[in-house]
Amino acid sequence: MNRILALKDLGFSLEQILEVLQDDVSPEQLRGMFKLRQVEAAGRLAEEQRRLERLEVRLRWIEQENSMPTFEIVLKTVPSMLVAARRISIPTNDQVPAYLNPAFQEVFEHADRHGAKKHAPHLALWYTSASTLADEDAEAMLPIDRSIPSSNRVNVYTLPQAEVAAVVHHGEFQEFTQGHTALLQWIEQHRYEITGPFREIYLEHNPNDLADSTTEIQYPVQKRQG
């Protein structure tokens, strides 16, 4: 009975306890079972610690602003994806549509010419910061369902998997930069660091009424050491 209670206290299920009691489990097998429980417990502890940190940041925000945050930011892993991409340089921020839209058109035409289909919403990868307003470095991307050849203007490659801090913006396009500000604050407060270019995923895009558009902003991040 004491052994059953001890194993139950360590997190073993009744089925696992029955296996230990009935079978002739070797010390090596028992050691492996305990190691597995140790790894699982450490993972749950780390996740609870991250949840505690998120709660602390949310409480500080409410105490400082006396309100809930406007943007709901999530941390998630986005899978790798095969993309067709056109990298461009944009002289000034007010010229973004004039440069980015033709780049997307090139990418769509290249994919269509080689029989590839759109696999997910198109996106832009930005190599310069959101605060940069001149000489912006961006890449218009289309996730595709199959490998196709690159050209001298459109590059086909795999965008790697990444852990990202993300927020979805819907509504007035003038407020779009607030999403970036909220994300950057969240990253700093949660002790993360940015590991690469940020992404803008155009979930819904109404060129005739940008206020009716929905965009997800993603920053690739990793936990800051120390």
Side-chain angles (χ1 to χ4, degrees):
M1 179 60 71
N2 286 340
R3 179 172 292 182
I4 291 174
L5 293 175
L7 291 173
K8 187 176 180 181
D9 180 63
L10 292 173
F12 287 93
S13 67
L14 291 178
E15 291 79 6
Q16 290 171 322
I17 294 173
L18 185 62
E19 179 184 349
V20 171
L21 296 178
Q22 288 185 343
D23 297 341
D24 186 17
V25 178
S26 69
E28 189 63 30
Q29 290 173 314
L30 195 59
R31 187 178 298 111
M33 294 175 68
F34 274 72
K35 283 286 188 183
L36 179 60
R37 292 300 305 157
Q38 185 181 44
V39 170
E40 291 173 346
R44 288 195 300 271
L45 180 62
E47 177 55 36
E48 288 301 316
Q49 180 61 41
R50 289 192 291 268
R51 183 175 290 111
L52 179 61
E53 291 173 359
R54 294 195 295 270
L55 284 168
E56 290 174 349
V57 170
R58 183 62 61 92
L59 282 170
R60 285 200 301 271
W61 180 289
I62 294 172
E63 289 168 358
Q64 293 170 6
E65 305 294 333
N66 199 29
S67 64
M68 285 290 286
T70 305
F71 294 96
E72 294 298 331
I73 296 168
V74 297
L75 188 69
K76 63 181 181 179
T77 299
V78 293
S80 62
M81 64 182 82
L82 183 66
V83 298
R86 170 84 170 97
R87 191 162 177 172
I88 57 173
S89 178
I90 305 172
T92 57
N93 186 257
D94 61 315
Q95 295 177 287
V96 167
Y99 280 77
L100 198 56
N101 290 344
F104 275 122
Q105 187 65 31
E106 276 193 70
V107 169
F108 273 85
E109 290 177 354
H110 181 81
D112 185 62
R113 189 159 49 247
H114 292 278
K117 303 295 183 184
K118 181 178 181 179
H119 185 60
H122 60 290
L123 66 147
L125 199 66
W126 296 87
Y127 294 90
T128 43
S129 70
S131 61
T132 301
L133 301 179
D135 298 322
E136 295 180 77
D137 186 0
E139 203 167 11
M141 290 185 169
L142 176 68
I144 53 177
D145 64 346
R146 69 194 67 183
S147 180
I148 60 175
S150 299
S151 71
N152 61 340
R153 293 173 65 88
V154 176
N155 189 23
V156 177
Y157 67 97
T158 298
L159 191 64
Q161 174 180 295
E163 184 177 34
V164 301
V167 68
V168 175
H169 171 79
H170 179 79
E172 291 296 332
F173 204 71
Q174 292 85 342
E175 299 174 1
F176 187 71
T177 55
Q178 296 178 16
H180 282 278
T181 301
L183 270 172
L184 292 172
Q185 289 177 346
W186 187 97
I187 290 168
E188 178 64 28
Q189 291 169 346
H190 285 79
R191 296 190 291 278
Y192 280 86
E193 59 186 5
I194 298 169
T195 59
F198 71 86
R199 309 174 184 187
E200 292 177 355
I201 296 88
Y202 305 109
L203 304 175
E204 297 177 8
H205 184 65
N206 184 350
N208 300 316
D209 183 8
L210 293 179
D212 190 34
S213 300
T214 302
T215 305
E216 180 173 346
I217 310 168
Q218 298 177 350
Y219 277 82
V221 294
Q222 67 180 12
K223 200 69 173 177
R224 192 180 304 145
Q225 297 299 317

